[in-house]
Amino acid sequence: MKKFLFTVLFFSAAIYAHFEVLYTVKTEIESGNEVKISSFFTHPYDGEPILKRGMDENGNVLGVKEIFVVHKGKKTDLSSSVKAVQWATKSSKASGSEIVLSGNDFKSAGDYGVVIVPHPYWEEQEGLYIQQITKLFVNKGGFDTDWQNRIADGYTEIIPLSNPYNVTVGQIFRAKVVDNEGNLVPNSVVEIELLNYPVNQAKYFYGGKTITVNDKKGTNTVVTDDNGVFAFVPQAAGFWGFAALSAGSDKEFNGKELEQDPIIWIQVED
């Protein structure tokens, strides 16, 4: 089987993808007792619109199924730490989430892997449901504990092979894609997009001045190799999202075809 580890395909502005977003100002924290993480559903590079999460084919908005954090191998439900908020762009608004890690949920040093599992949403143009299992790592105190491990058991997942909160522009980022049972997923198309606008966590607003107007620096597509591994070299600083299409094992929802995409977000610095 031909290997595609460094295959890079650019795609046009007409097909920028929907991404579940997890964002925080800083993914590496030296000290402190609290971190705020924003969650919303949008086209990251294009910046429009804010979308309704978990909306089925009848227009019912089911929202989020599960939000949790894994720290030193321990999974903690974050339902009580999540607030529903209205996120907006210049031309749209929809419900999103504000996640606060504090107290015992953010006490000791190490990695905090936050995972959000929205209900599947109906994609009318493709005639199927899509579910995006999304994660972000925040590190406290510079002590690595969890980023290289599987933390979303039972779900498809992108597992880093490079430290996901210590990436700079021009540095290679590597990761592997696994299905719901943890099996490697070869030949999976991975869509990549830069969160191309400022995120205002205080006003719950996504928009403003773009980071780049060059889509070849802000969007990309790669394919996993025979071992389920992909690699990418970011060309701009900011938050980057990676979505492995159809990597999940569950293939049906509400009697219709289901596509499960694992997503990971990383912060890239100059």
Side-chain angles (χ1 to χ4, degrees):
M1 187 180 295
K2 184 177 180 181
K3 294 185 181 294
F4 292 96
L5 179 58
F6 295 104
T7 300
V8 178
L9 305 172
F10 296 113
F11 50 88
S12 71
I15 55 171
Y16 293 146
H18 304 353
F19 274 67
E20 183 70 39
V21 175
L22 281 173
Y23 168 88
T24 190
V25 174
K26 194 75 174 172
T27 55
E28 290 184 279
I29 299 170
E30 290 301 319
S31 60
N33 299 316
E34 183 176 290
V35 62
K36 182 164 67 175
I37 299 170
S38 299
S39 173
F40 52 94
F41 186 36
T42 190
H43 296 178
Y45 182 80
D46 196 41
E48 291 284 357
I50 295 289
L51 300 158
K52 295 179 180 179
R53 296 190 300 201
M55 187 167 70
D56 68 17
E57 59 194 300
N58 299 314
N60 301 310
V61 180
L62 303 177
V64 176
K65 176 183 176 182
E66 185 178 10
I67 301 179
F68 59 89
V69 64
V70 174
H71 174 59
K72 296 182 179 178
K74 180 184 177 182
K75 177 180 175 180
T76 302
D77 176 46
L78 290 178
S79 298
S80 61
S81 306
V82 177
K83 180 171 70 173
V85 295
Q86 194 83 345
W87 274 89
T89 64
K90 285 184 179 180
S91 63
S92 65
K93 59 178 59 177
S95 180
S97 302
E98 178 183 277
I99 306 162
V100 177
L101 296 180
S102 62
N104 290 331
D105 292 337
F106 196 63
K107 189 174 182 179
S108 63
D111 297 330
Y112 292 81
V114 176
V115 179
I116 183 167
V117 184
H119 287 282
Y121 70 90
W122 176 248
E123 177 53 66
E124 182 68 35
Q125 292 184 341
E126 298 183 45
L128 51 72
Y129 279 96
I130 299 177
Q131 185 180 34
Q132 297 184 326
I133 295 88
T134 306
K135 74 179 184 181
L136 168 73
F137 283 101
V138 175
N139 179 267
K140 182 177 179 180
F143 180 47
D144 297 354
T145 57
D146 298 89
W147 65 258
Q148 69 274 41
N149 300 324
R150 179 151 163 73
I151 66 168
D153 289 339
Y155 295 109
T156 180
E157 186 173 6
I158 296 176
I159 302 174
L161 297 173
S162 308
N163 188 315
Y165 46 80
N166 189 24
V167 184
T168 57
V169 174
Q171 177 185 339
I172 193 168
F173 173 72
R174 298 175 66 244
K176 62 183 179 181
V177 179
V178 300
D179 64 15
N180 302 42
E181 292 76 34
N183 302 310
L184 296 170
V185 183
N187 301 319
S188 175
V189 174
V190 181
E191 292 184 340
I192 305 167
E193 289 200 20
L194 173 69
L195 199 62
N196 200 30
Y197 293 82
V199 177
N200 188 324
Q201 290 187 303
K203 296 183 177 180
Y204 309 118
F205 182 80
Y206 181 54
K209 185 179 179 181
T210 58
I211 293 175
T212 179
V213 296
N214 184 347
D215 62 352
K216 291 185 178 181
K217 289 188 176 182
T219 64
N220 221 298
T221 303
V222 298
V223 180
T224 60
D225 68 7
D226 293 351
N227 297 311
V229 174
F230 69 86
F232 177 69
V233 179
Q235 299 299 304
F239 268 76
W240 286 87
F242 302 79
L245 307 187
S246 302
S249 306
D250 295 341
K251 301 297 183 183
E252 185 177 311
F253 180 78
N254 279 356
K256 301 291 178 65
E257 181 183 353
L258 171 66
E259 172 187 312
Q260 287 184 313
D261 307 335
I263 292 177
I264 189 171
W265 285 92
I266 67 170
Q267 186 173 29
V268 175
E269 298 185 302
D270 288 316

